[in-house]
Amino acid sequence: MSLYQEIAKHLRQKIEDGNYQPGEALPRQADLASEYNTSRVTIQKALDMLFNDNLIIRKQGSGTFVSPTYSSALDIISSQYGGTTQLFSGKAEVSTKVLHFEIRLPTNEESKQLNISTTVPVYDIYRLRKLDQEPYELTKSIMPLSVISNLTQEVAEHSIFSFIQNDLKMAIGSAVRRISADKATDDDIKYLDCLKEDPILQITQTVSLKDGRIFEYSHTRHRYDKGSIVVFNKVPLS
């Protein structure tokens, strides 16, 4: 990890720990460079990482500030995606229970979303994810064997995205998401420990590799009280 990445990680942790509150100004770049014994160029690169993750905003002539909408370590920034394990690294302990794992042929809708033929086998994986032993999300992931190979139930009990990046040496690109609300199902009540009348935050998405191949079509259901989705619209400085 390069120095600017280490500095970005340290500043991110300070924001998450509440050392810098939403809307609060960060120290000047010159002061940060002195604190970390480095150059302003390195500090600028570190701040660029936080800006790209929408954790900070910049006001021309005023400085850099923690995003005023940042509120929870469990919040997901809409532009962020690296899998649940990576997303909450350093924030919470992620554990996984595989509820279902099989290889089968895709439905017409799944083949359409994954841009594959209905004759191409897919992994069908249903998992319960917990944060610090508290139910967080239910995820049903459909992945084509033509793109992702050697995926096992043992791998699914940990981080599939880490397996793709570290073992298969594939670079994850972008995700397209649809966010909606839904009523609790029997599985939500059973596994997410919610009530029948509790609303559920549902995310349907397709995730691609950097080479453009779609490798996941998934439906994720979240407890309504376990964080939120934060959306930013960046307006050019005038």
Side-chain angles (χ1 to χ4, degrees):
M1 184 181 295
S2 62
L3 179 57
Y4 77 88
Q5 291 173 319
E6 291 180 358
I7 293 172
K9 181 179 180 180
H10 189 251
L11 289 173
R12 178 192 297 272
Q13 192 62 54
K14 282 190 172 184
I15 292 172
E16 292 168 354
D17 289 345
N19 292 11
Y20 298 126
Q21 294 294 314
E24 181 180 347
L26 294 181
R28 295 182 307 122
Q29 289 187 22
D31 293 335
L32 288 172
S34 177
E35 177 182 348
Y36 290 101
N37 193 29
T38 188
S39 66
R40 289 187 63 177
V41 173
T42 300
I43 295 298
Q44 181 66 53
K45 288 183 178 180
L47 294 178
D48 285 345
M49 288 188 67
L50 300 182
F51 178 75
N52 289 334
D53 284 344
N54 297 307
L55 290 178
I56 62 173
I57 60 174
R58 290 162 172 159
K59 297 181 181 180
Q60 191 170 22
S62 298
T64 304
F65 299 78
V66 177
S67 168
T69 60
Y70 181 85
S71 61
S72 170
L74 299 185
D75 283 348
I76 302 173
I77 307 302
S78 62
S79 60
Q80 290 177 325
Y81 203 75
T84 301
T85 301
Q86 179 179 329
L87 185 62
F88 292 106
S89 176
K91 302 177 185 178
E93 179 186 354
V94 179
S95 57
T96 303
K97 180 179 181 180
V98 178
L99 304 175
H100 178 81
F101 184 98
E102 72 168 324
I103 296 174
R104 59 170 173 80
L105 293 179
T107 64
N108 289 333
E109 178 62 20
E110 290 165 352
S111 63
K112 177 183 176 181
Q113 294 293 336
L114 292 168
N115 195 26
I116 59 173
S117 165
T118 53
T119 61
V120 175
V122 296
Y123 298 102
D124 180 341
I125 309 164
Y126 190 35
R127 301 189 295 170
L128 168 64
R129 315 301 297 277
K130 293 184 178 182
L131 300 181
D132 294 332
Q133 301 305 312
E134 291 292 326
Y136 175 66
E137 66 182 17
L138 281 169
T139 300
K140 183 179 180 65
S141 299
I142 308 299
M143 298 182 174
L145 273 71
S146 58
V147 180
I148 305 300
S149 60
N150 302 318
L151 182 56
T152 65
Q153 181 167 335
E154 182 179 3
V155 170
E157 291 171 350
H158 302 282
S159 171
I160 294 177
F161 275 41
S162 292
F163 169 75
I164 292 172
Q165 293 172 305
N166 300 326
D167 292 76
L168 300 184
K169 307 299 182 185
M170 293 177 170
I172 294 173
S174 59
V176 177
R177 292 174 176 154
R178 173 171 291 178
I179 304 168
S180 60
D182 197 10
K183 297 179 180 179
T185 66
D186 290 343
D187 272 7
D188 298 328
I189 296 169
K190 178 179 179 179
Y191 294 113
L192 296 181
D193 194 24
C194 60
L195 302 176
K196 183 177 181 180
E197 61 269 21
D198 285 343
I200 294 294
L201 179 67
Q202 178 176 254
I203 302 173
T204 300
Q205 67 180 10
T206 55
V207 190
S208 303
L209 299 173
K210 282 195 174 179
D211 63 15
R213 288 180 295 167
I214 300 172
F215 74 89
E216 182 187 48
Y217 172 50
S218 67
H219 301 275
T220 302
R221 299 175 68 83
H222 295 261
R223 283 177 55 117
Y224 76 97
D225 57 346
K226 295 294 184 180
S228 60
I229 306 295
V230 181
V231 179
F232 289 80
N233 291 315
K234 292 180 180 177
V235 179
L237 295 174
S238 59

